[in-house]
Each structure stands twice: as structure tokens, then as C-alpha cells.
Amino acid sequence: MTTEFLTELRALARTYAEPLRATAVALDRDPGLFRTVLDGALPWRQLVGLPAEHNPDPVRVQGRPVLLDTCVEQVVVLEELARADAGAVLALPGPSMSGFVIAELADDAQRERYWSTVAAGPTWTFFGMTEPTHGSDPGSMGTTLRPDGDTLRLTGMKRYVGNAARARIGVVFARRNAGPLGVVAVLVDTDRPGFVAEPLPTLGLRGLQLSEIRMTDVPVDAGDVLGRHRSATRQGMWAATRTFNRYRPVVSCFALGVAQAAYDLVVAERRRYRVDERHLLADWAQRLVGTRALVLAAARSADRDPGDGTLASAAKIRATRLAEEITTTAVRLLGPGARWEHPLLDKLVRDARAFEFMEGTGNIQRLTLAQGYLQGRLGDARAA
């Protein structure tokens, strides 16, 4: 994709962000208002990455349909939307992370079932990996998929799962056998008996409605197990790793959007600066541009090879750190009482803290980055 094409795509995304900017503070106070956003001017169907057969009127740039099915397209568009309200973007209906798993593992029947459900109307999905006491560690996963006569039963708990309380369908990772190769991904409808999902109280990204899922003997058919036609090395955790690598540049662009929004707010509200403050703003402006280039490089790498998460980890470390720094310092620059006088700034400060914990903390990203360095995968990162 040419620079000109991406520039036009970014400008178009900026026009879509206006409804989100107008409702950001209200949605933070009451996530239930999100239906109002969907009923307004936000064309959710064009923005969530539906496949061509379920998206008859896609976004067009330079006469070309843009399905947002590549990581590059997603980071460009979603950064601009997150600049208005990251929580609302994460709360959009559509495939989100589960769509990556479907792309990697689903057979034709599963794929049709999933996409026909998601495209039927504003339909939320979920990606159930993280557990209360084990995080995303596959070796300690407690959720199980066990045979029960002619069916299977899914039992366990997942926590910090975005949109699960409002979702209609999603993917749950569970242990079927011992060892890392015993983890499988299961396509689950949320109306099945024994499946309960409830929202959790959070300080930031409230529109996302992070949820807890409790599953007690949820009935599952063999046809619900994703990747069952593949070898054990190309099933659950293989697909999860590739999904994380593809989604981390997206998380990075959310953090970058929050950082840019805080910078914009300071520039709009302050009229005079000390010399050191001018230097600080100039440094932020340069780092925002540099981080944007790194996020784009990470997205290109994820599209080329989802198995390599080196650049994705580098982008997440840098974007997350920048979001926390700019939002925190913006409070000082706008003076005592800034978070009360500027409710949007208060929201940005809280939202910025969430990205550290999404798709792996900074320590996990540093381990991935170190491994990539040792394997000689950082040439693109130095160029970016």
C-alpha cells in the first residue's frame, strides 16, 4: 500500500471518528449508551473487518474497496478512531480477536456459521483465553473440554474478556489433553446452558465491558472444535500465538491514539509555555511520529508473517509507554484540578493504563523482543 493510499485512508477514518468524540465522556460513565452510538452515524459494518461476502458496501479509497482485513489497514483506521475514544472502538461489534482464530483454524462450515452470525446485525464476539489465577499460561490452563457420552462438556472460568457479557458467539481456549499441545479452541454460542458472562467493574476502557465468563458443563459438539482437521501442532496455542502477534500492533495503535489525543488536548488548552515545556511538546511530537512508523512496520510484519511477533512487541512497548507518559504529564501541564476541569483528560489517563495488560505485559514483550534480537529479526525495527 502506498503512502498516498494510507494518507487518504487515515483522513477518511478521521471523519468516522466524530460521533465517537462527541459521546466519549458519556459512554465512559455509562457503557450501556453504546447502542446510541451504533444507531447514530457510525458505520460499524464497514469498520470491523467483515469479509467481502458479508460487507456489500465497504469503505472505498481511490476507488478500491477496503475491507480492513489486513493489519496495516486496521492500525491506520483504528488509531484515528481511538484518538476519539479507544473504549468505544474496542466496544464495536464484530469479529475482534476471535476473527483471527476463525481465519486460522475454522473449516468451511464453522466459518459460515461464525460470519453469518456476526454479520446478521450488530453482534459482539469474544476471545476467551485469560484465567483468574493462571493468566494466559497454556501449561496451567484450568478450563477443560471433556467427553460426556456422545457430546463434550466445557467447564472453567475466564476473566478480563472484552465484550463477553454482550457477545453472542466467541472462542474459548480449553485443555483437552495434558501438555501445551492439548489446548484446543472451541467455537461457543453464549446462549448454551451453563454459560454465564458478567461485566467487571473497571477504571479505564469502560466501554469495552471487560467480563468474567463462568462455564459449567456447557454442551459442545465435535463440530465446535476449531482446527480438528489439523495436526496437534497447528491447533489451539499455535493459533493463539499468531492471533496475539497480529493483534498487538492493533493494541499499539489504540495506545498511540490515546497518546495523540492527550497531546492534542494540551495543545488546544494551553496558550503559553515555558522553554522547557516547548521542548517537551516538540519531543512528544517527534516520538508520536516515530511510534506511528514503528506501529505501521509492526503491522506490515504481522501481515507478512503472523508467526513473528518481534516488531509487534517492540511497537507495544513503545506505544504503551508513550501513552502513559503523555497522559500523566498532561495533567501537570494543565494545572491543579485538570482532571476535574477536563473530564476527557481524566478518561485518557485511566484508559492509558489498560494497554500494559492487553495481549501481554511489558515484561512478556521484552522477552519476545530479546528472542527476536537473538534470532536476527530486528533489521526492520532499526529501519523504522
Side-chain angles (χ1 to χ4, degrees):
M1 298 178 197
T2 66
T3 301
E4 181 184 3
F5 177 87
L6 294 179
T7 299
E8 290 189 26
L9 180 60
R10 185 177 296 278
L12 181 61
R14 200 166 292 154
T15 65
Y16 290 137
E18 291 307 314
L20 300 182
R21 186 171 288 108
T23 59
V25 174
L27 181 61
D28 180 63
R29 292 172 180 156
D30 181 6
L33 294 175
F34 193 72
R35 287 282 182 180
T36 304
V37 177
L38 288 181
D39 293 339
L42 187 65
W44 68 271
R45 191 179 294 274
Q46 285 85 357
L47 299 174
V48 298
L50 295 179
E53 59 269 27
H54 295 289
N55 188 2
D57 185 26
V59 170
R60 291 185 177 273
V61 175
Q62 297 180 351
R64 167 190 157 184
V66 180
L67 297 173
L68 266 72
D69 56 353
T70 69
C71 200
V72 168
E73 294 169 349
Q74 289 167 357
V75 300
V76 170
V77 171
L78 296 181
E79 183 204 331
E80 290 300 323
L81 297 180
R83 191 172 175 179
D85 186 359
V89 183
L90 286 162
L92 283 171
S96 188
M97 291 182 70
S98 64
F100 292 126
V101 183
I102 296 299
E104 296 285 2
L105 295 181
D107 59 28
D108 290 342
Q110 292 167 336
R111 190 173 291 109
E112 175 56 30
R113 169 187 161 194
Y114 177 86
W115 286 115
S116 60
T117 300
V118 172
T123 302
W124 284 265
T125 65
F126 69 90
F127 178 93
M129 169 67 78
T130 304
E131 297 189 351
T133 57
H134 306 299
S136 300
D137 176 18
S140 303
M141 186 173 293
T143 302
T144 59
L145 183 67
R146 301 298 187 202
D148 181 20
D150 295 332
T151 64
L152 300 167
R153 298 285 176 173
L154 188 63
T155 299
M157 183 181 293
K158 302 292 183 181
R159 189 174 288 171
Y160 312 121
V161 183
N163 293 314
R166 51 165 73 110
R168 184 176 170 188
I169 193 170
V171 174
V172 172
F173 288 84
R175 177 168 300 287
R176 195 170 188 178
N177 299 298
L181 296 183
V183 174
V184 295
V186 185
L187 186 61
V188 180
D189 296 295
T190 60
D191 60 357
R192 293 188 182 182
F195 186 100
V196 177
E198 297 177 342
L200 297 167
T202 59
L203 289 176
L205 297 179
R206 289 174 174 167
L208 174 60
Q209 284 200 326
L210 285 174
S211 306
E212 179 178 274
I213 300 174
R214 297 187 298 276
M215 296 163 287
T216 306
D217 290 333
V218 177
V220 172
D221 297 326
D224 297 325
V225 180
L226 297 166
R228 66 191 189 283
H229 55 295
R230 293 170 171 263
S231 69
T233 59
R234 291 293 186 271
Q235 291 191 24
M237 289 312 301
W238 176 82
T241 299
R242 292 167 69 87
T243 296
F244 287 143
N245 289 342
R246 294 186 67 184
Y247 200 67
R248 280 179 186 131
V250 176
V251 174
S252 303
C253 86
F254 290 145
L256 181 58
V258 169
Q260 184 70 61
Y263 173 87
D264 295 342
L265 184 61
V266 171
V267 171
E269 295 296 331
R270 281 287 297 266
R271 293 294 179 266
R272 290 185 292 180
Y273 303 91
R274 300 192 307 266
V275 172
D276 62 312
E277 292 173 338
R278 290 189 180 279
H279 286 307
L280 177 63
L281 287 175
D283 177 65
W284 282 353
Q286 291 177 343
R287 289 167 64 193
L288 285 165
V289 171
T291 302
R292 186 168 294 114
L294 179 56
V295 171
L296 186 59
R300 288 190 170 116
S301 176
D303 284 335
R304 286 194 306 269
D305 179 11
D308 179 9
T310 306
L311 281 176
S313 291
K316 186 174 183 295
I317 292 170
R318 183 179 294 184
T320 299
R321 183 185 301 163
L322 188 59
E324 293 186 6
E325 177 185 332
I326 294 181
T327 54
T328 301
T329 311
V331 174
R332 175 175 59 81
L333 290 176
L334 293 181
R339 293 178 70 166
W340 283 266
E341 294 173 8
H342 305 284
L344 179 59
L345 177 59
D346 176 64
K347 170 179 156 46
L348 293 172
V349 172
R350 289 183 281 107
D351 286 354
R353 299 305 177 278
F355 302 114
E356 165 68 12
F357 303 99
M358 296 176 69
E359 320 325 326
T361 61
N363 286 340
I364 299 298
Q365 307 311 321
R366 290 179 182 89
L367 288 172
T368 302
L369 194 55
Q371 185 179 36
Y373 171 77
L374 293 174
Q375 294 175 352
R377 295 177 175 175
L378 280 179
D380 290 341
R382 287 194 292 269

